[in-house]
């Protein structure tokens, strides 16, 4: 006789009904995360909410459970969630469907890249909950096939990312079209003044819930970097993959061309790797992500398109093959591992010219990232380079000479205050 699994009482204490508690059991949820504890009770009371929490802390369930519980199965479309990327639309819709396993609630994702006719057919089945990217949602509104004026619940997921990639006008246009009395929730990893102004315009005295604790990276991620020149980076990555042998890993590149080239080189050397970036047609992107979620692909080579659209269990390693120019992108990348308290490792490959970028990342996360060595790796000698490139490499390694007597000496670097460590000078790697 199969042992009965008890329902998660901690979620029941927050007001979650039995039909959703059973779904949580099947999903492996036992204890709510901080953002779930903070958001679920006021959301069930109908309050507008501005929620901030780190990546990978369960924000989808935090807004999804209350909305699903309050939806009336006998009525038409009642809830809408806007997300920044196609991958995130599929991911959020999938999690909402799992949460609604024992509830008569129909969830549909709408996003660009998929055939319009397919999504129109899904909308024709009268869903209760639509999850979509702003561009496709606006397209369907203008086609008059998506009516949102009477919806009761609106959520904006990853608001900062949507603003970053230029969805401001679409977001404002969509929110202004919801004319009925409704509940609005914004959730994001970071919340700045622009997001607060947006909240003031479209929300009614929102409750602010911040469980990020000013920590931009999770303690469970073991972070390090390896110094490697561009000509050596592939060899370093191959050695790291061999030595670490990660079950599921993501390798981040800054460009689509770089991701395409690296995935091919890895595949040609026997690594089970595939690429995902904006140039892939949507059907192929969907197939790659589905295989990755099922752990049928060991290494995913991705651009930052995927840095906030992948919620795959058991990602153990993040490799930053290219150092991101924006330090906040680094935070979002490594947030793909150590999800919901699991352990993870993030390794970054840094050239000697990227000391400034490394220092910027360390200043943002208020932590010094340690360097590491790779067994068996020997850097290529500068003698192997053409004379012009060898001279350039040598100049980067040059040690500053002492200032002449009487010359002015630069003032020391200022600190950011008692809350932060002193800013370091540009790293010499």
């Amino acid at each position: 006789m199969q042992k009965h699994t008890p329902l998660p009482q901690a979620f029941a204490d927050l007001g979650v009904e039995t039909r959703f508690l059973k779904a949580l059991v099947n999903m492996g949820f036992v204890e709510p995360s901080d953002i779930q504890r903070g958001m679920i009770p006021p959301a069930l009371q109908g309050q507008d909410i501005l929620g901030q929490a780190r990546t990978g802390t369960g924000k989808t369930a935090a807004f999804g459970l209350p909305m699903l519980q309050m939806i009336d199965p006998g009525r038409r479309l009642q809830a809408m969630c806007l997300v920044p990327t196609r991958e995130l639309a599929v991911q959020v819709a999938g999690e909402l469907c799992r949460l609604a396993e024992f509830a008569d609630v129909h969830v549909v994702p709408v996003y660009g890249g998929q055939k319009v006719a397919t999504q129109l057919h899904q909308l024709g089945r009268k869903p209760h909950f639509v999850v979509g990217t702003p561009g496709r949602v606006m397209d369907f509104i203008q086609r008059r096939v998506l009516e949102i004026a009477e919806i009761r619940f609106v959520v904006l997921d990853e608001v900062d990312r949507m603003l970053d990639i230029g969805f401001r006008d679409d977001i404002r246009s969509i929110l202004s079209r919801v004319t009925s009395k409704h509940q609005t929730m914004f959730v994001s990893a970071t919340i700045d003044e622009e997001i607060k102004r947006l909240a003031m315009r479209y929300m009614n005295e929102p409750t602010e819930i911040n469980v990020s604790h000013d920590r931009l990276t999770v303690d469970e991620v073991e972070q390090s970097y390896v110094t490697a020149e561009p000509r050596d980076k592939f060899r370093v990555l191959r050695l790291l993959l061999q030595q670490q042998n990660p079950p599921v890993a993501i390798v981040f590149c800054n460009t689509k061309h770089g991701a395409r080239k690296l995935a091919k080189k890895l595949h040609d050397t026997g690594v089970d790797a595939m690429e995902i970036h904006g140039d892939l047609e949507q059907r192929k992107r969907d197939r790659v992500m589905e295989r990755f979620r099922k752990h049928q692909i060991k290494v995913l080579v991705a651009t930052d398109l995927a840095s906030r659209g992948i919620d795959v269990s058991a990602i153990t390693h993040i490799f930053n093959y290219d150092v991101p120019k924006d330090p906040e992108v680094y935070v979002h990348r490594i947030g793909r591992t150590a999800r919901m308290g699991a352990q993870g490792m993030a390794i970054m490959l840094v050239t000697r010219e990227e000391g400034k970028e490394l220092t910027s990342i360390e200043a943002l996360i208020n932590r010094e990232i340690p360097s590491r060595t790779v067994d068996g790796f020997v850097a290529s000698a500068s003698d192997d380079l053409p004379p012009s490139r060898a001279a350039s490499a040598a100049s980067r390694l040059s040690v500053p000479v002492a200032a002449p007597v009487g010359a002015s000496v630069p003032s020391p670097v200022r600190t950011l205050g008692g809350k932060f460590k002193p800013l370091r000078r540009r790293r010499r790697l």
Side-chain angles (χ1 to χ4, degrees), residues 18-284:
T18 300
R19 53 187 174 144
F20 297 103
L21 296 177
K22 293 194 294 184
L24 290 171
V25 169
N26 290 346
M27 296 172 69
F29 284 80
V30 178
E31 291 288 334
S33 65
D34 289 345
I35 190 62
Q36 290 162 0
R37 283 193 184 92
M39 282 188 64
I40 291 175
L44 287 172
Q45 294 170 10
Q47 298 177 30
D48 286 359
I49 295 175
L50 188 59
Q52 180 177 354
R54 292 178 288 115
T55 300
T57 54
K59 293 193 292 292
T60 302
F63 67 76
L65 282 168
M67 295 170 75
L68 291 169
Q69 186 164 307
M70 292 185 288
I71 283 176
D72 179 359
R75 296 177 55 183
R76 52 176 293 178
L77 180 64
Q78 296 163 65
M80 174 180 62
C81 175
L82 298 178
V83 297
T85 66
R86 303 167 182 178
E87 284 70 29
L88 194 55
V90 174
Q91 171 191 308
V92 170
E95 184 161 352
L96 292 174
C97 287
R98 291 191 291 274
L99 290 170
E101 179 181 358
F102 300 101
D104 188 17
V105 177
H106 182 209
V107 183
V108 167
V110 294
Y111 51 91
Q114 190 183 55
K115 289 182 178 179
V116 170
T118 301
Q119 295 182 357
L120 289 178
H121 175 72
Q122 293 174 332
L123 290 175
R125 296 172 59 194
K126 299 182 179 179
H128 303 99
F129 202 139
V130 166
V131 181
T133 51
R136 180 51 61 95
V137 169
M138 274 302 302
D139 179 26
F140 282 172
I141 289 173
Q142 292 167 351
R143 291 171 184 260
R144 298 184 179 181
V145 295
L146 181 60
E147 178 54 59
I148 66 171
E150 301 298 320
I151 62 173
R152 301 167 55 206
F153 310 101
V154 177
V155 61
L156 270 62
D157 192 9
E158 303 287 11
V159 189
D160 53 351
R161 181 59 171 161
M162 282 194 282
L163 295 178
D164 286 345
I165 58 182
F167 283 133
R168 289 171 180 79
D169 293 340
D170 283 344
I171 289 172
R172 293 189 181 101
S173 179
I174 292 169
L175 293 178
S176 66
R177 292 169 187 261
V178 183
T179 54
S180 62
K181 183 178 179 181
H182 61 281
Q183 180 181 9
T184 305
M185 290 183 274
F186 290 2
V187 290
S188 188
T190 59
I191 293 179
D192 58 18
E193 291 304 315
E194 183 176 9
I195 293 173
K196 290 183 178 180
R197 287 194 297 269
L198 195 68
M200 290 177 62
R201 181 173 178 180
Y202 295 105
M203 303 175 83
N204 179 28
E205 297 181 354
T207 299
E208 292 192 34
I209 300 170
N210 183 353
V211 298
S212 64
H213 308 304
D214 293 328
R215 294 186 306 170
L216 293 176
T217 54
V218 291
D219 295 333
E220 292 81 3
V221 180
E222 179 186 338
Q223 302 174 59
S224 61
Y225 76 90
V226 178
T227 303
E229 293 307 300
R231 62 186 178 277
D232 293 327
K233 286 168 66 173
F234 182 74
R235 286 196 297 120
V236 172
L237 179 62
R238 285 285 290 118
L239 286 169
L240 286 170
L241 290 172
Q242 290 170 3
Q243 294 167 13
Q244 297 290 326
N245 192 26
V248 187
I250 303 179
V251 180
F252 279 107
C253 297
N254 287 346
T255 67
K256 293 176 284 189
H257 173 71
R260 186 183 308 112
K261 181 178 177 181
L262 179 59
K264 184 178 186 305
K265 288 181 69 174
L266 288 171
H267 189 270
D268 290 346
T269 54
V271 178
D272 181 18
M274 293 193 72
E275 67 196 83
I276 184 167
H277 50 74
D279 278 354
L280 287 184
E281 63 178 17
Q282 188 61 41
R283 284 183 298 178
K284 185 169 183 180

Side-chain angles (χ1 to χ4, degrees), residues 395-415:
S395 67
R396 293 197 300 272
L397 291 170
S398 61
V399 179
V401 298
V405 176
S408 60
V409 179
S411 59
V413 178
R414 292 181 176 272
T415 68

Side-chain angles (χ1 to χ4, degrees), residues 335-349:
R336 298 305 103 197
T337 187
R339 309 289 281 188
M340 296 299 289
Q343 297 296 311
M345 180 177 291
I347 303 175
M348 180 166 46
L349 307 188

